[in-house]
């Protein structure tokens, strides 16, 4: 059930006045309804074999312009998207994101 509101953040672009890369991740899509689940069981052990710690999975409606370079913000928590979001059943209805906590 999609009962969580999330924001999709895109990577920062540009530089500040000193020529340093910006650190702010601007909102790409705001207030998206999502389901949020812990990764457990077979999925958890499968994720461990990739050498990447996957902690949560989110599911949202389908968007064709979301990539693995983006992040998900839920409350004060920021999650890195691991791998390309999955088009569930190739039906263009839902996207599944495997994520790990950044902060």
């Amino acid at each position: 059930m999609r009962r969580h509101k999330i924001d999709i953040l895109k990577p920062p672009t540009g530089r500040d006045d000193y020529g340093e890369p910006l650190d702010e991740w601007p909102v790409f899509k705001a207030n998206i309804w999502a389901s949020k689940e812990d990764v457990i069981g077979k999925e958890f052990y499968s994720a461990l074999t990739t050498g990447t710690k996957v902690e949560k999975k989110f599911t949202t409606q389908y968007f064709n312009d979301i990539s693995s370079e983006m992040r998900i913000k839920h409350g004060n928590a920021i999650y890195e998207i691991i791998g390309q979001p999955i088009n569930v059943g190739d039906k263009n209805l839902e996207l599944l994101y495997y994520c790990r906590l950044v902060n």
Side-chain angles (χ1 to χ4, degrees):
M1 179 185 329
R2 295 184 191 155
R3 60 185 185 91
H4 301 276
K5 285 276 191 152
I6 65 168
D7 295 332
I8 304 289
L9 309 176
K10 63 182 179 178
T13 58
R15 301 200 173 266
D16 64 15
D17 295 337
Y18 301 102
E20 295 295 319
L22 294 174
D23 198 26
E24 287 288 316
W25 287 69
V27 174
F28 180 67
K29 295 202 182 286
N31 296 317
I32 299 169
W33 286 106
S35 65
K36 176 183 174 186
E37 301 174 50
D38 292 323
V39 176
I40 57 174
K42 187 167 55 171
E43 281 182 313
F44 177 77
Y45 290 109
S46 176
L48 286 179
T49 62
T50 66
T52 303
K53 184 178 179 189
V54 176
E55 301 167 346
K56 301 286 182 193
K57 62 181 179 178
F58 291 88
T59 305
T60 67
Q61 71 187 68
Y62 178 80
F63 300 101
N64 65 353
D65 50 0
I66 306 294
S67 70
S68 61
E69 290 81 31
M70 297 178 176
R71 292 184 174 179
I72 292 176
K73 180 179 181 192
H74 179 244
N76 292 326
I78 306 289
Y79 294 90
E80 178 181 14
I81 299 172
I82 307 299
Q84 278 302 112
I86 299 166
N87 181 359
V88 179
D90 291 324
K91 296 180 181 178
N92 294 350
L93 296 175
E94 293 183 307
L95 277 182
L96 174 64
Y97 313 83
Y98 287 100
C99 302
R100 72 171 158 230
L101 190 63
V102 173
N103 68 345

